[in-house]
Amino acid sequence: MRFVVVPQWQGSGSSRAMRLGDGALAILGDLPSSRTSTVEVPLGAGEPLGTGVARFSSLRLVHDRLADLLSGFQEPAIVIGGDCGVELAAVEHAIARDGVLPPSCGWMRTPISVGSHRTGLAPSAARWPAPSSATEPTG
C-alpha cells in the first residue's frame, strides 16, 4: 500500500482554503515515509484559462502531476488531499487499474457549484466529457 499526500487547496471556494493543504501536510507526519509520496502544489491560486472554473490552471497541473505519479504504482494507493479536487486523478487511476470506482464520500454527495468554484464535482468530471476548453486549455 502506498500513500500520496496532495496538499491542494485551489479547488475550494472557502476563505480558509489554504488550511486544507495544511491539514494534508499535518497527516503526512503520521504516515510511513518509505511508503509515502507528496505531490507538489503551486503556491499561487491559478487562472481560469477560459473554463469558468476558478484556479483551473493549478487544478489541472496538480491533476497531471498526481496522475503521472500514480501511473508508476502497481499497488493500491491512498490519496490524501487538501480539497476534494484530487479525487479525479485518483479515481481515473483506480478505474484504469481495477476497472471499478473506489468507495469515497465524494462520490456519494450531490455536486454543488459556488460561483466559479467547484465543490465535489469530481464525480461529474469522471462521468461526463469535459468541455473542450477544459480538456485543451489555452494561454
Side-chain angles (χ1 to χ4, degrees), residues 37-120:
S37 302
T38 304
V39 173
E40 185 179 344
V41 173
L43 294 176
E47 300 296 326
L49 300 180
T51 65
V53 176
R55 306 173 181 154
F56 180 79
S57 62
S58 290
L59 299 174
R60 177 72 182 257
L61 178 63
V62 173
H63 169 275
D64 293 349
R65 286 177 178 171
L66 177 56
D68 185 54
L69 178 67
L70 291 172
S71 71
F73 295 159
Q74 297 301 314
E75 59 193 319
I78 295 175
V79 176
I80 297 130
D83 68 52
C84 64
V86 303
E87 291 177 350
L88 183 56
V91 167
E92 290 170 341
H93 174 74
I95 291 171
R97 183 181 173 279
D98 300 328
V100 296
L101 289 173
S104 167
C105 63
W107 299 91
M108 302 303 182
R109 66 177 177 263
T110 302
I112 61 169
S113 175
V114 181
S116 61
H117 297 282
R118 303 298 186 255
T119 303

Side-chain angles (χ1 to χ4, degrees), residues 21-41:
D22 294 341
L25 292 173
I27 292 169
L28 177 65
D30 293 331
L31 300 172
S33 60
S34 64
R35 310 291 301 151
T36 304
S37 302
T38 304
V39 173
E40 185 179 344
V41 173

